[in-house]
Short mmCIF file of all heavy atoms in Angstrom, two decimals:
data_model
loop_
_atom_site.label_atom_id
_atom_site.label_comp_id
_atom_site.label_asym_id
_atom_site.label_seq_id
_atom_site.Cartn_x
_atom_site.Cartn_y
_atom_site.Cartn_z
N THR A 360 90.72 74.89 128.67
CA THR A 360 89.79 74.19 129.46
C THR A 360 88.93 75.22 130.25
O THR A 360 87.76 75.08 130.49
CB THR A 360 90.47 73.18 130.39
OG1 THR A 360 91.30 72.37 129.55
CG2 THR A 360 89.50 72.20 131.08
N VAL A 362 88.30 78.22 129.45
CA VAL A 362 87.38 78.84 128.42
C VAL A 362 86.11 77.86 128.20
O VAL A 362 85.00 78.29 128.19
CB VAL A 362 88.10 79.14 127.09
CG1 VAL A 362 87.09 79.58 125.98
CG2 VAL A 362 89.17 80.21 127.34
N ALA A 363 86.53 76.61 127.99
CA ALA A 363 85.51 75.63 127.66
C ALA A 363 84.53 75.41 128.79
O ALA A 363 83.28 75.01 128.61
CB ALA A 363 86.06 74.33 127.14
N GLU A 364 85.06 75.36 129.99
CA GLU A 364 84.16 75.05 131.18
C GLU A 364 83.61 76.19 131.94
O GLU A 364 83.10 76.09 133.00
CB GLU A 364 85.03 74.15 132.03
CG GLU A 364 85.38 72.73 131.47
CD GLU A 364 86.14 71.83 132.39
OE1 GLU A 364 86.67 72.33 133.42
OE2 GLU A 364 86.30 70.68 132.06
N ALA A 365 83.72 77.49 131.34
CA ALA A 365 83.18 78.61 131.96
C ALA A 365 81.70 78.42 132.22
O ALA A 365 80.95 77.80 131.31
CB ALA A 365 83.38 79.80 131.08
N LYS A 366 81.19 78.89 133.33
CA LYS A 366 79.75 78.75 133.59
C LYS A 366 78.87 79.84 133.41
O LYS A 366 77.71 79.74 133.46
CB LYS A 366 79.64 78.31 135.16
CG LYS A 366 80.32 77.02 135.54
CD LYS A 366 79.53 75.91 135.15
CE LYS A 366 80.44 74.49 135.42
NZ LYS A 366 80.55 73.82 134.08
N SER A 367 79.46 80.94 132.95
CA SER A 367 78.70 82.16 132.63
C SER A 367 79.46 82.86 131.49
O SER A 367 80.63 82.65 131.36
CB SER A 367 78.49 83.02 133.79
OG SER A 367 79.65 83.60 134.17
N TYR A 368 78.65 83.80 130.89
CA TYR A 368 79.43 84.67 129.89
C TYR A 368 80.46 85.43 130.54
O TYR A 368 81.54 85.58 129.76
CB TYR A 368 78.26 85.47 129.13
CG TYR A 368 78.80 86.27 127.97
CD1 TYR A 368 79.46 85.59 126.91
CD2 TYR A 368 78.75 87.68 127.91
CE1 TYR A 368 79.90 86.26 125.86
CE2 TYR A 368 79.22 88.31 126.82
CZ TYR A 368 79.91 87.55 125.78
OH TYR A 368 80.45 88.30 124.62
N PHE A 371 83.41 83.30 130.80
CA PHE A 371 83.93 82.96 129.52
C PHE A 371 84.80 84.10 128.88
O PHE A 371 85.95 83.85 128.49
CB PHE A 371 82.81 82.60 128.48
CG PHE A 371 83.22 82.68 126.97
CD1 PHE A 371 84.09 81.69 126.47
CD2 PHE A 371 82.93 83.81 126.29
CE1 PHE A 371 84.52 81.78 125.15
CE2 PHE A 371 83.36 83.88 124.92
CZ PHE A 371 84.15 82.95 124.39
N VAL A 372 84.37 85.37 129.13
CA VAL A 372 85.00 86.39 128.57
C VAL A 372 86.38 86.65 129.24
O VAL A 372 87.37 86.89 128.62
CB VAL A 372 84.17 87.76 128.82
CG1 VAL A 372 85.02 88.97 128.41
CG2 VAL A 372 82.98 87.75 127.80
N ARG A 375 88.63 83.81 128.17
CA ARG A 375 89.06 84.04 126.73
C ARG A 375 90.23 85.09 126.75
O ARG A 375 91.19 84.88 126.14
CB ARG A 375 87.86 84.47 126.03
CG ARG A 375 88.28 84.86 124.56
CD ARG A 375 87.21 85.39 123.75
NE ARG A 375 87.67 85.65 122.26
CZ ARG A 375 86.92 85.79 121.24
NH1 ARG A 375 85.64 85.65 121.38
NH2 ARG A 375 87.51 85.94 120.05
N LEU A 378 93.44 83.57 127.98
CA LEU A 378 94.02 82.65 126.91
C LEU A 378 94.60 83.53 125.80
O LEU A 378 95.67 83.25 125.33
CB LEU A 378 92.84 81.80 126.30
CG LEU A 378 93.40 80.80 125.15
CD1 LEU A 378 94.36 79.82 125.69
CD2 LEU A 378 92.08 80.07 124.70
N GLU A 379 93.83 84.62 125.37
CA GLU A 379 94.38 85.40 124.27
C GLU A 379 95.66 86.19 124.69
O GLU A 379 96.62 86.48 123.85
CB GLU A 379 93.33 86.34 123.67
CG GLU A 379 92.28 85.66 122.89
CD GLU A 379 91.15 86.48 122.34
OE1 GLU A 379 90.79 87.40 123.02
OE2 GLU A 379 90.74 86.13 121.33
N GLU A 382 98.41 83.73 124.32
CA GLU A 382 98.66 83.58 122.86
C GLU A 382 99.49 84.62 122.26
O GLU A 382 100.39 84.32 121.63
CB GLU A 382 97.27 83.46 122.12
CG GLU A 382 97.38 82.99 120.58
CD GLU A 382 97.51 84.16 119.77
OE1 GLU A 382 97.12 85.23 120.10
OE2 GLU A 382 98.07 84.00 118.66
N ARG A 386 103.14 84.35 120.78
CA ARG A 386 103.39 84.78 119.45
C ARG A 386 104.59 85.86 119.29
O ARG A 386 105.38 85.61 118.46
CB ARG A 386 102.13 85.25 118.80
CG ARG A 386 102.23 85.82 117.42
CD ARG A 386 100.87 86.01 116.71
NE ARG A 386 99.84 86.47 117.62
CZ ARG A 386 99.64 87.72 117.87
NH1 ARG A 386 100.50 88.66 117.41
NH2 ARG A 386 98.61 88.17 118.70
N GLY A 391 107.83 80.39 116.74
CA GLY A 391 108.35 79.01 116.38
C GLY A 391 107.49 77.86 116.67
O GLY A 391 106.25 78.02 116.85
N TYR A 394 105.17 78.03 119.72
CA TYR A 394 103.86 78.80 119.59
C TYR A 394 102.90 77.86 118.79
O TYR A 394 101.74 77.88 119.13
CB TYR A 394 104.24 80.06 118.76
CG TYR A 394 103.00 80.83 118.40
CD1 TYR A 394 101.97 81.21 119.29
CD2 TYR A 394 102.82 81.17 117.00
CE1 TYR A 394 100.84 81.86 118.87
CE2 TYR A 394 101.63 81.88 116.63
CZ TYR A 394 100.69 82.24 117.56
OH TYR A 394 99.67 82.78 117.16
N GLU A 395 103.41 77.14 117.92
CA GLU A 395 102.53 76.19 117.13
C GLU A 395 101.89 75.19 118.07
O GLU A 395 100.77 74.87 118.03
CB GLU A 395 103.36 75.49 116.08
CG GLU A 395 103.34 76.26 114.75
CD GLU A 395 104.04 75.54 113.72
OE1 GLU A 395 103.94 74.28 113.53
OE2 GLU A 395 104.76 76.21 112.91
N PHE A 397 101.46 75.50 121.25
CA PHE A 397 100.42 76.21 122.02
C PHE A 397 99.08 76.33 121.36
O PHE A 397 98.06 75.87 121.91
CB PHE A 397 100.94 77.66 122.39
CG PHE A 397 100.02 78.42 123.19
CD1 PHE A 397 100.05 78.44 124.57
CD2 PHE A 397 99.02 79.22 122.56
CE1 PHE A 397 99.19 79.26 125.24
CE2 PHE A 397 98.21 79.95 123.36
CZ PHE A 397 98.24 80.05 124.69
N LEU A 398 99.00 76.73 120.11
CA LEU A 398 97.90 76.75 119.33
C LEU A 398 97.23 75.42 119.27
O LEU A 398 96.01 75.22 119.38
CB LEU A 398 98.18 77.35 117.98
CG LEU A 398 98.40 78.83 118.03
CD1 LEU A 398 98.84 79.26 116.55
CD2 LEU A 398 97.36 79.63 118.47
N GLN A 399 98.04 74.34 118.80
CA GLN A 399 97.46 73.08 118.56
C GLN A 399 96.86 72.52 119.95
O GLN A 399 95.63 71.94 119.86
CB GLN A 399 98.55 72.08 118.21
CG GLN A 399 98.94 72.10 116.76
CD GLN A 399 100.27 71.44 116.47
OE1 GLN A 399 100.86 70.85 117.28
NE2 GLN A 399 100.54 71.40 115.18
N ALA A 401 95.64 74.24 122.48
CA ALA A 401 94.45 74.94 122.71
C ALA A 401 93.25 74.57 121.75
O ALA A 401 92.16 74.38 122.21
CB ALA A 401 94.72 76.44 122.70
N ASN A 402 93.59 74.52 120.49
CA ASN A 402 92.49 74.05 119.51
C ASN A 402 92.02 72.72 119.90
O ASN A 402 90.80 72.59 119.64
CB ASN A 402 93.23 74.06 118.09
CG ASN A 402 93.51 75.46 117.56
OD1 ASN A 402 93.01 76.38 118.16
ND2 ASN A 402 94.20 75.59 116.57
N GLU A 403 92.84 71.83 120.19
CA GLU A 403 92.47 70.46 120.58
C GLU A 403 91.33 70.52 121.67
O GLU A 403 90.15 69.85 121.48
CB GLU A 403 93.60 69.64 120.94
CG GLU A 403 93.40 68.21 120.47
CD GLU A 403 94.70 67.47 120.64
OE1 GLU A 403 95.72 67.78 119.81
OE2 GLU A 403 94.84 66.61 121.33
N VAL A 404 91.51 71.19 122.70
CA VAL A 404 90.62 71.34 123.75
C VAL A 404 89.28 72.06 123.36
O VAL A 404 88.20 71.68 123.50
CB VAL A 404 91.10 72.19 125.01
CG1 VAL A 404 90.14 72.43 126.15
CG2 VAL A 404 92.40 71.40 125.57
N LEU A 405 89.48 73.19 122.47
CA LEU A 405 88.24 73.97 122.16
C LEU A 405 87.41 73.30 121.15
O LEU A 405 86.21 73.55 121.07
CB LEU A 405 88.78 75.24 121.49
CG LEU A 405 89.51 76.25 122.50
CD1 LEU A 405 90.01 77.55 121.74
CD2 LEU A 405 88.60 76.76 123.57
N SER A 406 88.01 72.30 120.44
CA SER A 406 87.19 71.58 119.49
C SER A 406 86.55 70.26 120.09
O SER A 406 85.85 69.63 119.36
CB SER A 406 88.00 71.20 118.20
OG SER A 406 89.08 70.33 118.67
N ASN A 407 87.01 70.15 121.27
CA ASN A 407 86.47 68.85 121.99
C ASN A 407 85.28 69.17 123.08
O ASN A 407 85.20 68.34 123.97
CB ASN A 407 87.55 68.01 122.53
CG ASN A 407 88.13 67.12 121.51
OD1 ASN A 407 87.51 66.30 120.95
ND2 ASN A 407 89.34 67.40 121.19
N ILE A 408 84.72 70.28 122.89
CA ILE A 408 83.73 70.54 123.87
C ILE A 408 82.42 69.77 123.48
O ILE A 408 81.96 69.93 122.39
CB ILE A 408 83.34 71.97 123.97
CG1 ILE A 408 84.50 72.81 124.18
CG2 ILE A 408 82.22 72.38 124.92
CD1 ILE A 408 84.35 74.30 123.99
N LYS A 409 82.03 68.84 124.41
CA LYS A 409 80.88 68.05 124.13
C LYS A 409 79.63 68.30 124.88
O LYS A 409 79.89 68.80 126.05
CB LYS A 409 81.24 66.50 124.21
CG LYS A 409 82.31 66.08 123.45
CD LYS A 409 82.03 65.92 122.00
CE LYS A 409 83.29 65.81 121.10
NZ LYS A 409 83.02 65.92 119.74
N LYS B 171 104.97 76.44 105.79
CA LYS B 171 104.83 76.59 107.27
C LYS B 171 103.98 77.69 107.67
O LYS B 171 103.20 77.60 108.61
CB LYS B 171 106.36 76.76 107.88
CG LYS B 171 106.51 75.71 108.98
CD LYS B 171 107.83 75.58 109.45
CE LYS B 171 107.75 74.67 110.64
NZ LYS B 171 108.63 74.83 111.61
N GLN B 174 100.42 76.81 107.32
CA GLN B 174 99.97 75.89 108.40
C GLN B 174 99.72 76.68 109.67
O GLN B 174 98.75 76.47 110.33
CB GLN B 174 101.11 74.94 108.62
CG GLN B 174 100.78 73.73 109.38
CD GLN B 174 101.92 72.92 109.80
OE1 GLN B 174 102.96 72.85 109.05
NE2 GLN B 174 101.92 72.24 111.00
N LEU B 175 100.54 77.69 109.95
CA LEU B 175 100.45 78.43 111.12
C LEU B 175 99.26 79.33 110.95
O LEU B 175 98.45 79.55 111.94
CB LEU B 175 101.71 79.38 111.30
CG LEU B 175 101.71 80.20 112.62
CD1 LEU B 175 101.86 79.26 113.84
CD2 LEU B 175 102.86 81.11 112.56
N ALA B 177 96.55 78.59 109.39
CA ALA B 177 95.36 77.75 109.67
C ALA B 177 95.09 77.46 111.25
O ALA B 177 93.98 77.57 111.59
CB ALA B 177 95.60 76.43 108.92
N LEU B 178 96.20 77.39 111.86
CA LEU B 178 96.06 77.05 113.32
C LEU B 178 95.54 78.34 113.97
O LEU B 178 94.64 78.30 114.85
CB LEU B 178 97.44 76.88 113.91
CG LEU B 178 98.04 75.32 113.80
CD1 LEU B 178 99.40 75.26 114.25
CD2 LEU B 178 97.15 74.41 114.50
N GLN B 179 96.02 79.45 113.56
CA GLN B 179 95.58 80.76 114.18
C GLN B 179 94.03 80.97 113.81
O GLN B 179 93.36 81.39 114.66
CB GLN B 179 96.40 81.98 113.66
CG GLN B 179 97.72 81.98 114.24
CD GLN B 179 98.66 83.03 113.65
OE1 GLN B 179 98.57 83.23 112.37
NE2 GLN B 179 99.45 83.60 114.41
N THR B 181 91.78 78.67 113.18
CA THR B 181 90.99 77.74 113.95
C THR B 181 90.83 78.22 115.45
O THR B 181 89.77 78.13 115.99
CB THR B 181 91.72 76.40 114.03
OG1 THR B 181 92.02 75.97 112.63
CG2 THR B 181 90.90 75.31 114.67
N PHE B 182 91.98 78.72 116.00
CA PHE B 182 91.94 79.27 117.31
C PHE B 182 91.04 80.38 117.46
O PHE B 182 90.08 80.29 118.29
CB PHE B 182 93.39 79.75 117.63
CG PHE B 182 93.58 80.40 119.09
CD1 PHE B 182 93.65 79.56 120.13
CD2 PHE B 182 93.73 81.76 119.17
CE1 PHE B 182 93.80 80.06 121.40
CE2 PHE B 182 93.82 82.19 120.50
CZ PHE B 182 93.90 81.39 121.60
N SER B 183 91.04 81.38 116.73
CA SER B 183 90.14 82.53 116.77
C SER B 183 88.80 82.10 116.39
O SER B 183 87.77 82.68 117.01
CB SER B 183 90.62 83.73 115.95
OG SER B 183 90.95 83.42 114.66
N SER B 185 87.33 79.22 116.76
CA SER B 185 86.72 78.52 117.93
C SER B 185 86.22 79.45 118.99
O SER B 185 85.20 79.30 119.53
CB SER B 185 87.68 77.57 118.49
OG SER B 185 88.17 76.64 117.53
N LEU B 186 87.11 80.44 119.36
CA LEU B 186 86.71 81.42 120.41
C LEU B 186 85.52 82.18 119.94
O LEU B 186 84.65 82.52 120.70
CB LEU B 186 87.88 82.16 120.67
CG LEU B 186 89.10 81.54 121.39
CD1 LEU B 186 90.39 82.53 121.55
CD2 LEU B 186 88.63 81.15 122.87
N ASP B 187 85.53 82.58 118.62
CA ASP B 187 84.32 83.47 118.15
C ASP B 187 82.99 82.59 118.25
O ASP B 187 82.00 83.10 118.42
CB ASP B 187 84.61 83.88 116.83
CG ASP B 187 85.63 85.04 116.69
OD1 ASP B 187 85.95 85.60 117.78
OD2 ASP B 187 86.31 85.36 115.67
N LEU B 189 82.47 80.14 120.41
CA LEU B 189 81.96 80.01 121.69
C LEU B 189 81.34 81.29 122.09
O LEU B 189 80.33 81.38 122.89
CB LEU B 189 83.21 79.75 122.64
CG LEU B 189 83.69 78.34 122.56
CD1 LEU B 189 85.04 78.22 123.35
CD2 LEU B 189 82.74 77.38 123.30
N ASP B 190 81.93 82.40 121.62
CA ASP B 190 81.28 83.72 121.98
C ASP B 190 79.81 83.78 121.43
O ASP B 190 78.98 84.36 122.17
CB ASP B 190 82.22 84.81 121.48
CG ASP B 190 81.82 86.24 122.04
OD1 ASP B 190 80.63 86.61 122.16
OD2 ASP B 190 82.73 86.73 122.68
N ALA B 191 79.72 83.36 120.21
CA ALA B 191 78.44 83.38 119.54
C ALA B 191 77.46 82.56 120.38
O ALA B 191 76.24 82.87 120.41
CB ALA B 191 78.56 82.89 118.13
N TRP B 193 77.61 81.82 123.45
CA TRP B 193 77.18 82.39 124.85
C TRP B 193 76.31 83.64 124.63
O TRP B 193 75.36 83.99 125.39
CB TRP B 193 78.40 82.83 125.53
CG TRP B 193 79.07 81.84 126.37
CD1 TRP B 193 80.30 81.18 126.28
CD2 TRP B 193 78.60 81.28 127.65
NE1 TRP B 193 80.47 80.20 127.09
CE2 TRP B 193 79.39 80.35 128.05
CE3 TRP B 193 77.46 81.53 128.35
CZ2 TRP B 193 79.24 79.52 129.23
CZ3 TRP B 193 77.27 80.77 129.48
CH2 TRP B 193 78.12 79.78 129.98
N SER B 194 76.41 84.24 123.44
CA SER B 194 75.74 85.49 123.11
C SER B 194 74.21 85.16 122.63
O SER B 194 73.29 86.01 122.73
CB SER B 194 76.33 86.37 122.18
OG SER B 194 77.63 86.63 122.55
N ARG B 270 76.49 73.87 115.10
CA ARG B 270 77.51 73.82 116.06
C ARG B 270 77.22 74.77 117.22
O ARG B 270 77.35 74.61 118.34
CB ARG B 270 78.86 73.86 115.40
CG ARG B 270 80.05 73.95 116.38
CD ARG B 270 80.40 72.52 116.86
NE ARG B 270 81.51 72.59 117.74
CZ ARG B 270 81.71 71.91 118.89
NH1 ARG B 270 80.66 71.10 119.25
NH2 ARG B 270 82.72 72.05 119.63
N LEU B 274 76.45 74.19 121.00
CA LEU B 274 77.19 74.84 122.08
C LEU B 274 76.26 75.78 123.02
O LEU B 274 76.56 75.68 124.16
CB LEU B 274 78.30 75.61 121.56
CG LEU B 274 79.53 74.89 120.94
CD1 LEU B 274 80.53 75.68 120.19
CD2 LEU B 274 80.30 74.11 121.98
N ARG B 277 74.34 73.43 125.30
CA ARG B 277 75.11 72.68 126.34
C ARG B 277 75.82 73.69 127.31
O ARG B 277 75.87 73.47 128.53
CB ARG B 277 76.24 71.83 125.52
CG ARG B 277 75.45 70.71 124.86
CD ARG B 277 76.53 69.70 124.50
NE ARG B 277 75.72 68.54 123.82
CZ ARG B 277 76.29 67.84 122.91
NH1 ARG B 277 77.44 68.09 122.52
NH2 ARG B 277 75.53 66.87 122.33
N LEU B 278 76.31 74.84 126.64
CA LEU B 278 76.99 75.68 127.68
C LEU B 278 76.13 76.31 128.52
O LEU B 278 76.34 76.51 129.83
CB LEU B 278 77.82 76.87 126.82
CG LEU B 278 79.06 76.43 126.00
CD1 LEU B 278 79.44 77.57 125.06
CD2 LEU B 278 80.22 76.04 126.98
N GLY B 281 74.68 74.31 131.25
CA GLY B 281 75.80 73.72 132.16
C GLY B 281 76.12 72.37 131.92
O GLY B 281 76.54 71.61 132.71
N ASN B 282 75.78 71.82 130.66
CA ASN B 282 76.01 70.40 130.39
C ASN B 282 77.33 70.13 129.56
O ASN B 282 77.55 69.06 129.12
CB ASN B 282 74.86 69.78 129.59
CG ASN B 282 73.71 69.63 130.49
OD1 ASN B 282 73.78 69.35 131.57
ND2 ASN B 282 72.41 69.82 129.84
N ALA B 283 78.09 71.26 129.32
CA ALA B 283 79.23 71.14 128.45
C ALA B 283 80.40 70.50 129.19
O ALA B 283 80.56 70.69 130.39
CB ALA B 283 79.59 72.48 127.89
N SER B 284 81.14 69.65 128.48
CA SER B 284 82.35 69.14 129.13
C SER B 284 83.41 69.01 128.00
O SER B 284 83.02 68.94 126.84
CB SER B 284 81.99 67.73 129.61
OG SER B 284 81.61 66.91 128.65
N VAL B 285 84.64 68.91 128.52
CA VAL B 285 85.74 68.79 127.50
C VAL B 285 86.11 67.33 127.43
O VAL B 285 86.47 66.71 128.40
CB VAL B 285 86.90 69.64 127.92
CG1 VAL B 285 88.02 69.52 126.89
CG2 VAL B 285 86.50 71.13 127.99
N GLU B 286 86.03 66.82 126.18
CA GLU B 286 86.38 65.44 126.15
C GLU B 286 87.86 65.18 126.09
O GLU B 286 88.61 65.97 125.30
CB GLU B 286 85.83 64.89 124.87
CG GLU B 286 85.55 63.31 124.80
CD GLU B 286 84.66 62.94 123.53
OE1 GLU B 286 85.33 63.03 122.55
OE2 GLU B 286 83.64 62.54 123.68
N SER B 287 88.46 64.36 126.89
CA SER B 287 89.88 64.27 126.88
C SER B 287 90.41 63.65 125.59
O SER B 287 89.74 62.79 125.09
CB SER B 287 90.28 63.34 128.09
OG SER B 287 91.61 63.05 128.07
N THR B 288 91.51 64.27 125.09
CA THR B 288 92.06 63.72 123.89
C THR B 288 93.24 62.88 124.11
O THR B 288 93.80 62.29 123.16
CB THR B 288 92.36 64.81 123.02
OG1 THR B 288 93.17 65.76 123.69
CG2 THR B 288 91.19 65.48 122.35
N GLU B 289 93.62 62.89 125.43
CA GLU B 289 94.93 62.10 125.69
C GLU B 289 94.64 60.57 125.79
O GLU B 289 93.63 60.20 126.42
CB GLU B 289 95.45 62.59 127.04
CG GLU B 289 96.32 63.84 126.95
CD GLU B 289 96.88 64.31 128.17
OE1 GLU B 289 97.10 63.49 129.08
OE2 GLU B 289 97.03 65.58 128.44
#
Side-chain angles (χ1 to χ4, degrees):
Chain A
T360 306
V362 169
E364 291 183 346
K366 296 283 173 244
S367 67
Y368 186 55
F371 163 74
V372 171
R375 176 182 183 166
L378 178 62
E379 284 180 330
E382 186 271 333
R386 175 165 40 83
Y394 172 54
E395 270 183 41
F397 178 92
L398 287 175
Q399 276 168 0
N402 284 348
E403 217 165 292
V404 174
L405 296 175
S406 64
N407 275 299
I408 302 172
K409 302 286 170 194
Chain B
K171 229 168 177 213
Q174 194 188 332
L175 187 65
L178 281 172
Q179 285 172 324
T181 309
F182 180 77
S183 51
S185 302
L186 289 173
D187 287 345
L189 284 168
D190 199 302
W193 274 111
S194 308
R270 174 79 180 138
L274 284 171
R277 291 195 181 148
L278 290 170
N282 289 327
S284 64
V285 181
E286 207 170 66
S287 174
T288 50
E289 280 180 27

